Amino acid sequence: MAERTLYNHVWNQHTVDLLPNGDTQLFIGLHLVHEVTSPQAFSQLKEQGETVAYPDRTVATVDHIVPTDSIARPFGDAQAEAMLSALHANTHAFGIRFFGLDSGQYGIVHIVGPELGFTQPGMTIVCGDSHTSTHGAFGSLAFGIGTTQIEHVLATQTVALPALKVRQIQVTGSLVPGVSAKDVILKIIQTLGVHGGIGYAYEYAGSVIESMDMDGRMTICNMSIEGGARVGYINPDETTFNYIQGRPFAPTAAHWGKAIEYWTSIRTKPDAVFDDHLVIDGDQLEPMVTWGIHPGQSVGISERLPLPNGDADMLRAYTHMGLQPGAPIAGTPIEVAFIGSCTNARLPDLRAAAAVLKNQRVHDSVRCLVVPGSATIKDQAEAEGLDVVFKAAGADWRSPGCSMCLAMNPDQLVGDERCASSSNRNFIGRQGSATGRTFLMSPAMVATAAIHGCIADCRL
Amino acid sequence: MIITQILGTAIAIPGDDIDTDRIVPARFLKEITFEKMGDYLFYDERFNADQSPKDFPLNSVGHLDATILVVGANFGCGSSREHAPQAIKRYGFKAIIGVSFSDIFSGNCQAIGIPCIPASASDVAQITAAISDPPARLSIHLDSQRIQVGSQIWTSALSPARHHAFVTGGWNLKHLLKANAKAIQSVAQRLPYVQNFHDSISPDSTE
């Protein structure tokens, strides 16, 4: 088993007990809540007359079901309205801080947590959402959990989890312009497979990771779960500390020195032992695009689609996607372009897309949706004039939310539309149509596809 | 609740990497209770857009009363939605045998008393053959860590501690977690950030 890694240190620090079933009872430093996976947990607490053990350590916002065209209440969708009302009532009843639509700070939970300074190194973080791994970018151990476990956290501020192995993934060299964090993580998932991470935490390291900003690091950790790893993390450094400093819920100046001391002490030690190790050559990476029905089915933009190898799952992917084995991925037509999601809806993602779309037009055959990750990001983007660039190009500039990543709001694919998407999952039906087809790629690549009406290299 | 053995008809769902969006499409997550999730299990796999049934194992006549699922690798990958295990449970399934399971999914199943039992790919292939044609009853013996169809026996790869938890009722963890309230408090007290980085040796401590 791994030793002297950040994972070992933080896990041990938070261990309450070893349970008879083999799990570890872990104290949870930060519990994030959204409207979709929490109502049943709050109902259980109410039924059993229980209280929330540490209400200060839970923070809620609303993201999945929020419409992005108009947030006027009540929502047109009565079910969505009921979900938001339930979250509002539950957080009020249990004394939990809630960033609602009128807070000016709502948005995708994995974007709001970091940008308000709740997410910090050396914490254990959970949320009823698999993309909780995002917060590992700060050197926390962040786990997606289910609703019964949400109830456990609310009632006890602890959760039972099995110990993990640790695989260090080093990304060496440097990325050429036009290649981004999204391409790095898609390459890692392609290399290790979508179930390579089962039972593992992924520690990302190497020069590419060290020189990456926090937004890129969040993109990488976010998609750990798509490689099967429930947890992905990066050791905190100056980049991390600089990002956190001055945010509304960050440690204050009076305590900053002690905070840095703790955050530095948790780092993986030079003599650490890992259960497994992988090196990816960052110099060789090119923009990546998924062609299939899970995030491991991807190719570089210059490559051709793989030839059938007798694998039934690959055949199913080709049947669903309607693609020709051996054909180049470049030139594949698309009808929808989606820039958004907890993977790629932060300010640098919007800047990258706007840089491509500036003085260009979205292709006549494409509808292009740009959905900022939070109200804060929306404000910042508009202050920079990015909204003007998107609108001038013919793209639709929206309000924050999870939007077409999982289509729980009105933003959905129709029929068998093909979508170039900066989100995280290309599963069948994921974007709201059972026959819809998703191609995952970076924001710059989505913007490029939007202009050309087909998948194309953002570097050309 | 003690779960020592599970008997019933089993049904195999072929393929690896079956994600929770396929198990319960996101549009059904807008209900604030789990009550009706059983109706939505594999909805888009079972039905066409016009509600007519598709050729899918859950629709096959010989398996309508199945209580055990047999699946491939990385079953339940993707979203953490507990709606997926809840749908499986409420549809009537009591256990899942598979090559491997997503970590979040198997944790969610365990939390609601559904054992996810790993077995090797070759064992899962043999089990699938044994239960399929004609449909045969399967038994899972959690106390002896065995899976059985007729005279054929396989060994479950679930850890002994997990078996023990089902056999003793210890899978239901909430009371165990709550019983440690004192230990929880002492962990909270030793974590620098929970104490807002106040420290006895820090000049801040006098604030």
Side-chain angles (χ1 to χ4, degrees):
Chain A
M1 292 299 279
E3 292 169 31
R4 294 183 293 284
T5 67
L6 179 146
Y7 163 83
N8 297 110
H9 187 95
V10 177
W11 182 274
N12 293 340
Q13 281 275 310
H14 290 77
T15 295
V16 173
D17 196 10
L18 291 175
L19 301 171
N21 72 351
D23 285 351
T24 301
Q25 183 178 5
L26 278 189
F27 183 84
I28 297 306
L30 176 63
H31 179 207
L32 299 164
V33 165
H34 65 66
E35 73 281 16
V36 175
T37 53
S38 65
Q40 304 86 348
F42 284 114
S43 297
Q44 282 289 316
L45 285 190
K46 278 186 248 174
E47 261 174 44
Q48 293 160 18
E50 292 187 287
T51 56
V52 174
Y54 289 75
D56 291 353
R57 308 220 70 83
T58 293
V59 175
T61 190
V62 57
D63 52 13
H64 284 59
I65 53 83
V66 182
T68 60
D69 48 357
S70 163
I71 55 170
R73 305 278 301 273
F75 297 151
D77 178 346
Q79 283 187 309
E81 178 63 28
M83 292 211 105
L84 176 50
S85 299
L87 182 60
H88 185 265
N90 286 328
T91 51
H92 184 74
F94 289 99
I96 291 166
R97 191 178 272 121
F98 174 49
F99 293 91
L101 297 181
D102 54 0
S103 67
Q105 293 173 311
Y106 79 100
I108 306 176
V109 66
H110 307 308
I111 291 182
V112 169
E115 81 184 357
L116 293 182
F118 288 112
T119 301
Q120 295 170 21
M123 283 181 166
T124 47
I125 301 178
V126 294
C127 176
D129 195 289
S130 61
H131 291 112
T132 308
S133 58
T134 310
H135 305 267
F138 292 80
S140 64
L141 297 185
F143 305 81
I145 59 173
T147 299
T148 300
Q149 291 168 317
I150 292 174
E151 183 197 340
H152 294 169
V153 177
L154 290 170
T156 70
Q157 203 59 32
T158 65
V159 69
L161 292 168
L164 297 168
K165 294 183 277 188
V166 185
R167 173 180 286 135
Q168 190 189 46
I169 300 169
Q170 274 189 297
V171 188
T172 59
S174 56
L175 302 179
V176 301
V179 176
S180 72
K182 183 65 156 285
D183 305 305
V184 173
I185 188 63
L186 284 174
K187 186 69 187 182
I188 289 170
I189 297 167
Q190 183 201 56
T191 304
L192 291 167
V194 286
H195 42 265
I198 292 178
Y200 280 93
Y202 282 177
E203 174 176 310
Y204 303 102
S207 53
V208 164
I209 305 293
E210 286 158 17
S211 60
M212 194 174 272
D213 63 15
M214 289 312 296
D215 303 276
R217 293 180 187 186
M218 283 189 261
T219 299
I220 296 215
C221 290
N222 171 275
M223 288 188 68
S224 300
I225 186 63
E226 313 316 335
R230 188 178 202 173
V231 164
Y233 70 86
I234 293 166
N235 281 290
D237 60 10
E238 285 300 317
T239 303
T240 321
F241 308 152
N242 291 338
Y243 176 99
I244 296 169
Q245 193 161 29
R247 293 188 183 263
F249 294 88
T252 58
H255 306 297
W256 189 252
K258 296 305 292 184
I260 298 274
E261 194 181 300
Y262 173 60
W263 297 345
T264 307
S265 75
I266 63 172
R267 287 174 52 88
T268 291
K269 306 300 176 281
D271 61 348
V273 179
F274 296 95
D275 298 286
D276 193 26
H277 191 252
L278 172 76
V279 178
I280 298 269
D281 183 356
D283 292 333
Q284 300 299 318
L285 295 184
E286 62 171 334
M288 300 288 291
V289 179
T290 66
W291 61 269
I293 55 173
H294 68 61
Q297 290 170 322
S298 64
V299 291
I301 185 63
S302 70
E303 294 180 316
R304 290 172 176 272
L305 301 178
L307 297 173
N309 56 6
D311 175 28
D313 293 322
M314 187 189 259
L315 288 178
R316 176 166 187 155
Y318 271 119
T319 304
H320 181 79
M321 298 300 289
L323 296 167
Q324 279 304 313
I329 188 73
T332 305
I334 57 131
E335 292 82 33
V336 181
F338 172 60
I339 296 161
S341 86
C342 58
T343 309
N344 278 126
R346 286 172 289 269
L347 196 56
D349 302 316
L350 301 182
R351 285 178 184 145
V356 172
L357 286 166
K358 195 173 175 73
N359 301 323
Q360 301 284 335
R361 285 291 299 173
V362 170
H363 195 273
D364 284 344
S365 62
V366 175
R367 60 186 172 108
C368 177
L369 209 59
V370 187
V371 183
S374 71
T376 306
I377 290 169
K378 184 172 196 241
D379 292 344
Q380 291 168 334
E382 289 177 356
E384 289 184 16
L386 301 185
D387 58 322
V388 177
V389 174
F390 292 129
K391 288 179 203 162
D396 208 350
W397 172 248
R398 294 292 187 88
S399 291
C402 298
S403 182
M404 205 188 272
C405 175
L406 85 169
M408 282 190 71
N409 75 346
D411 306 334
Q412 301 177 359
L413 294 185
V414 178
D416 65 355
E417 279 180 329
R418 287 165 289 201
C419 180
S421 181
S422 74
S423 56
N424 42 58
R425 289 188 175 138
N426 50 344
F427 297 153
I428 293 173
R430 173 77 180 179
Q431 293 193 287
S433 167
T435 49
R437 296 172 283 179
T438 302
F439 298 83
L440 302 175
M441 59 192 83
S442 71
M445 284 290 287
V446 175
T448 305
I451 294 168
H452 294 277
C454 64
I455 295 169
D457 192 338
C458 64
R459 299 169 301 174
L460 301 178
Chain B
M1 194 177 76
I2 289 167
I3 305 171
T4 50
Q5 52 180 348
I6 296 160
L7 310 164
T9 311
I11 189 165
I13 304 217
D16 293 338
D17 307 313
I18 292 180
D19 58 77
T20 55
D21 277 88
R22 259 196 264 175
I23 298 172
V24 180
R27 65 182 182 278
F28 298 121
L29 272 50
K30 288 194 286 187
E31 298 182 4
I32 58 174
T33 75
F34 289 136
E35 275 168 37
K36 289 196 279 181
M37 287 303 135
D39 298 346
Y40 310 138
L41 180 64
F42 284 114
Y43 196 89
D44 292 338
E45 302 279 301
R46 284 158 60 203
F47 302 108
N48 292 304
D50 64 3
Q51 314 270 307
S52 58
K54 290 184 179 176
D55 180 18
F56 186 69
L58 290 190
N59 292 336
S60 90
V61 176
H63 293 96
L64 293 179
D65 60 347
T67 54
I68 298 161
L69 276 176
V70 180
V71 300
N74 200 26
F75 187 77
C77 61
S79 150
S80 68
R81 62 189 70 165
E82 191 174 304
H83 305 69
Q86 290 279 355
I88 288 168
K89 182 178 183 177
R90 285 158 199 269
Y91 192 89
F93 291 105
K94 297 182 178 355
I96 314 174
I97 298 167
V99 177
S100 63
F101 302 90
S102 129
D103 286 335
I104 300 178
F105 178 84
S106 59
N108 285 344
C109 285
Q110 151 148 314
I112 61 171
I114 304 260
C116 288
I117 300 172
S120 69
S122 61
D123 282 0
V124 168
Q126 287 175 20
I127 293 167
T128 301
I131 59 167
S132 293
D133 193 21
R137 288 177 74 76
L138 182 151
S139 55
I140 299 168
H141 303 271
L142 289 156
D143 41 1
S144 55
Q145 310 190 18
R146 284 181 300 129
I147 301 163
Q148 191 165 351
V149 177
S151 59
Q152 290 180 275
I153 294 174
W154 300 270
T155 304
S156 151
L158 193 67
S159 76
R162 284 257 193 275
H163 276 107
H164 186 72
F166 285 109
V167 171
T168 59
W171 57 270
N172 196 344
L173 290 165
K174 192 166 153 195
H175 65 282
L176 275 181
L177 300 180
K178 286 189 80 160
N180 280 331
K182 277 251 161 58
I184 294 168
Q185 208 172 14
S186 77
V187 169
Q189 277 163 5
R190 78 171 180 231
L191 289 168
Y193 67 86
V194 177
Q195 304 308 315
N196 292 318
F197 297 106
H198 286 269
D199 188 301
S200 56
I201 56 163
S202 157
D204 295 336
S205 63
T206 52
E207 279 181 33

